[in-house]
Amino acid sequence: MRDRNFLVENNAKPIWHPMAHPAEMRAQPPRIVMQAKGVHVTDIDGKTVLDAVGGLWNVNLGYSCDPIKKAIADQLNALPYYSGFRGTSTGPSIELAYELTEWFKPEGMVRAFFTSGGSDSVETALRLARQYWKIKGQADRTKFLALKKGYHGTHFGSASVNGNANFRRNYEPLLPGVFHIPAPSTYRNPFNETDPARLAQLCAAAMEDEIAFQGADTIAAFIMEPVLGAGGVIVPPESFMRLARELCDRHGILMIADEVVTGFGRTGAWSGSRLWGVKPDMMTMAKAITSGYFPLGATLIGEAVAETFEADTSSFGSIGHGYTYSGHPVGCAAGLAALAETRRLKLNENAAARGEELAAALAKLKDKHQLIGDVRSKGLMAALELVADRDSKKVADKKTMAKVADAAYEAGVMLRVSGNTIILSPPLILTAADVSKIAAGIDAGLSAAG
């Protein structure tokens, strides 16, 4: 690698960064991360901080998981790549598909379709949903329902079901036939409702009203994150996903659970669907499937959908979809090692325990700092929504958010800022001491800004 001076001089110049304005990155170059160990990362200047972002929701096992590194190296030596298109397969992809369907058998999953990441997985689920209804002879079922504030990726299909304007506006027009219902957020919702059970009923009623307006026989699927992630860690009332499942069943609509963030233990359960006691028709996976060590994703398929495809005798059942890196043998080898470690370390149980500690620490920070308007969490996914005024809920400005993040970094904690929200998604190997350090870092950041 070239020296430090070269990297600093060229930072944000030949590269455009995701989710950022190129001019802003050039004016204020991003931090350059050079090394990582355990739950910590080290920047180009040698400063080491606790990574409360977990890479990007995905480094559940931390940065020092030797079994994954060894699995990658061994697979590179044995077979660095081969296509999974019709006519060929690889050992690791067969084995990982088996492990995934076993892991998510309680959710009713029986098949796996491999992708390169979360956006790919959502795109796959949307396409398979439309194809499913063509096989069934109901070709009018092309529309999708989703939640406002939901995040499902950045491809044209997945961005279309996104419920956040900043992922949509600059790329419109998007996929036609996508309709959004209010997110079940007790802090901000159009009903001004703070009671969770009542809010769940109101959002379900809005969903049923939209189904009636569109015509149930035109809707292919409803997609939701069991806990909304990038939209601000919105934890739905515990009854909401079950109510949505009942509506889908009543009107013959497929349910897609976007588990890209919530899969593999982050909420304290092995999946968000299992957390709420729901069996979806399809599940999308990525991120923690390899703990971030290799780009890989999967769309998991439930029994009814699988049977429909596999019993088809027409051309509609042929899957004309896939990626060069679907079932990449190195990625699948990484996935097998990651799943084994995830199970061995019982990361779901640790996420639940550390999540309770984190929630308590964040509640104390809310009592101390008027900047915090709302605290939301489930397991080791959490958010602090910062406001200029608690009564009006006026959002904190960009300058304030930057102050909080910069001061926390100086105090030894890497935070993620999204709009007026601080999002926390640390590795699931977190210790109680790490939780205390994250809270101390946020405290320092809020003190500097407030």
Side-chain angles (χ1 to χ4, degrees), residues 64-88:
S64 303
C65 187
D66 289 335
I68 303 179
K69 296 177 183 179
K70 183 178 186 302
I72 289 172
D74 289 348
Q75 188 60 45
L76 282 171
N77 286 325
L79 178 69
Y81 172 76
Y82 209 81
S83 165
F85 277 31
R86 180 181 61 236
T88 52

Side-chain angles (χ1 to χ4, degrees), residues 187-250:
Y187 188 63
R188 296 184 190 273
N189 65 74
F191 313 108
N192 197 28
E193 180 60 66
T194 57
D195 177 73
R198 177 65 182 150
L199 179 62
Q201 292 286 346
L202 288 168
C203 290
M207 179 175 170
E208 187 153 36
D209 181 69
E210 192 64 37
I211 292 170
F213 180 75
Q214 297 298 331
D217 61 347
T218 70
I219 300 172
F222 167 66
I223 184 169
M224 71 169 285
E225 301 164 278
V227 177
L228 283 67
V233 187
I234 296 169
V235 184
E238 63 178 75
S239 61
F240 177 74
M241 194 172 183
R242 289 194 297 274
L243 290 172
R245 174 74 267 188
E246 290 168 8
L247 284 174
C248 288
D249 289 341
R250 191 181 312 155

Side-chain angles (χ1 to χ4, degrees), residues 39 143 148 194 217 247 378:
V39 299
K143 298 175 184 176
K148 293 179 180 178
T194 57
D217 61 347
L247 284 174
K378 194 67 180 178

Side-chain angles (χ1 to χ4, degrees), residues 119-138:
S119 293
D120 288 352
S121 296
V122 170
E123 200 81 2
T124 299
L126 297 179
R127 296 188 72 177
L128 292 179
R130 281 190 170 178
Q131 187 175 0
Y132 169 85
W133 290 113
K134 285 183 170 59
I135 297 171
K136 299 282 282 186
Q138 299 184 50

Side-chain angles (χ1 to χ4, degrees), residues 434-448:
D434 294 329
V435 172
S436 296
K437 185 172 181 178
I438 290 172
I442 295 172
D443 189 17
L446 294 168
S447 297

Side-chain angles (χ1 to χ4, degrees), residues 86-284:
R86 180 181 61 236
T88 52
S89 191
T90 65
S93 65
I94 296 169
E95 188 176 355
L96 184 57
Y98 174 83
E99 292 294 336
L100 288 171
T101 53
E102 286 295 303
W103 192 298
F104 296 108
K105 187 176 286 184
E107 288 83 355
M109 299 297 106
V110 298
R111 302 288 185 270
F113 186 100
F114 287 114
T115 72
S116 302
S119 293
D120 288 352
S121 296
V122 170
E123 200 81 2
T124 299
L126 297 179
R127 296 188 72 177
L128 292 179
R130 281 190 170 178
Q131 187 175 0
Y132 169 85
W133 290 113
K134 285 183 170 59
I135 297 171
K136 299 282 282 186
Q138 299 184 50
D140 283 348
R141 285 188 180 263
T142 61
K143 298 175 184 176
F144 297 103
L145 298 179
L147 294 177
K148 293 179 180 178
K149 300 295 183 183
Y151 179 82
H152 301 290
T154 57
H155 297 345
F156 263 90
S158 50
S160 299
V161 292
N162 272 354
N164 292 278
N166 54 316
F167 303 120
R168 301 170 53 86
R169 179 66 185 272
N170 294 349
Y171 309 98
E172 293 174 335
L174 297 173
L175 188 72
V178 178
F179 304 94
H180 292 84
I181 64 173
S185 166
T186 54
Y187 188 63
R188 296 184 190 273
N189 65 74
F191 313 108
N192 197 28
E193 180 60 66
T194 57
D195 177 73
R198 177 65 182 150
L199 179 62
Q201 292 286 346
L202 288 168
C203 290
M207 179 175 170
E208 187 153 36
D209 181 69
E210 192 64 37
I211 292 170
F213 180 75
Q214 297 298 331
D217 61 347
T218 70
I219 300 172
F222 167 66
I223 184 169
M224 71 169 285
E225 301 164 278
V227 177
L228 283 67
V233 187
I234 296 169
V235 184
E238 63 178 75
S239 61
F240 177 74
M241 194 172 183
R242 289 194 297 274
L243 290 172
R245 174 74 267 188
E246 290 168 8
L247 284 174
C248 288
D249 289 341
R250 191 181 312 155
H251 296 288
I253 297 167
L254 296 177
M255 173 179 267
I256 302 167
D258 186 343
E259 301 267 8
V260 169
V261 166
T262 52
F264 303 106
R266 182 158 292 281
T267 66
W270 284 133
S271 76
S273 298
R274 199 176 304 185
L275 176 73
W276 302 128
V278 170
K279 289 186 177 182
D281 295 293
M282 286 185 273
M283 299 169 68
T284 59

Side-chain angles (χ1 to χ4, degrees), residues 396-421:
D397 60 26
K398 193 173 183 178
K399 186 177 179 181
T400 299
M401 300 305 297
K403 280 185 178 179
V404 174
D406 289 344
Y409 191 82
E410 289 305 310
V413 177
M414 174 83 84
L415 301 178
R416 180 186 179 197
V417 170
S418 179
N420 70 313
T421 303

